[in-house]
Amino acid sequence: MDYKYLKNYRNLKAFFKDASSEDIQFIISKLTEFYAEVKNKEEQAEKLEKARIQFLNGVLDSLDDHNFTVEDLMALKKTSVRENRTRMRPRYMYYDLDGNECLWSGQGKIPKAMRQVMQRDGITDKNHYLIKDSD
């Protein structure tokens, strides 16, 4: 049942038609406890969001003070990532179900699109899609 069902007074009344006043009071006390938990979680999330915004504003202010831009940070991030990683050359080529050419390095799990193509074509060996070296 969706909780929105109980937002309607008639539905609420029909739902609790056989309940005693003690049952309803017990449910109210449990709902009050639950309300306090939910309210506390919402307040914590709000505090975290305010702290996050305050921190980010401080970072932006610091960037302004030192005449840096967000683009400077992005450039720094991009170069450091590229320096650490080299792209592997693709070893497999296949055409996905939409007819787009796809490449896979052979690292990790077989891509979902490749598995679908293999299933469609009835191929069980991924080496069927191996790129032949023209060396």
Side-chain angles (χ1 to χ4, degrees):
M1 174 191 328
D2 190 7
Y3 74 91
K4 293 175 185 172
Y5 173 83
L6 295 175
K7 284 180 146 183
N8 181 299
Y9 180 75
R10 285 194 340 225
N11 293 343
L12 190 64
K13 193 173 177 180
F15 187 79
F16 287 109
K17 71 179 176 185
D18 296 330
S20 68
S21 61
E22 292 172 357
D23 293 337
I24 294 172
Q25 187 60 43
F26 179 78
I27 291 169
I28 289 172
S29 69
K30 292 297 178 186
L31 281 173
T32 304
E33 291 174 22
F34 183 63
Y35 168 78
E37 288 177 26
V38 170
K39 187 71 172 170
N40 188 24
K41 285 181 184 176
E42 289 174 348
E43 288 171 355
Q44 290 290 349
E46 191 175 317
K47 273 185 189 179
L48 287 173
E49 182 62 19
K50 283 182 182 178
R52 183 180 155 280
I53 290 171
Q54 185 178 6
F55 172 78
L56 291 174
N57 283 332
V59 168
L60 289 175
D61 290 342
S62 180
L63 287 174
D64 285 343
D65 292 345
H66 294 89
N67 292 327
F68 288 118
T69 64
V70 173
E71 288 78 22
D72 294 333
L73 285 178
M74 290 171 54
L76 178 66
K77 180 75 174 166
K78 287 179 185 174
T79 56
S80 66
V81 169
R82 287 201 175 126
E83 287 173 3
N84 293 337
R85 286 185 63 187
T86 58
R87 287 189 75 90
M88 296 193 64
R89 81 176 174 82
R91 293 181 55 205
Y92 300 92
M93 188 203 57
Y94 60 95
Y95 292 93
D96 66 7
L97 298 179
D98 296 328
N100 301 319
E101 181 181 280
C102 299
L103 299 171
W104 177 47
S105 68
Q107 293 291 319
K109 292 183 177 181
I110 296 176
K112 184 177 181 182
M114 188 173 177
R115 286 194 316 261
Q116 291 172 342
V117 169
M118 289 172 71
Q119 186 177 13
R120 178 195 66 194
D121 297 343
I123 296 170
T124 57
D125 185 15
K126 67 182 177 190
N127 291 331
H128 175 79
Y129 300 102
L130 212 96
I131 296 175
K132 311 285 189 275
D133 288 330
S134 59
D135 298 327

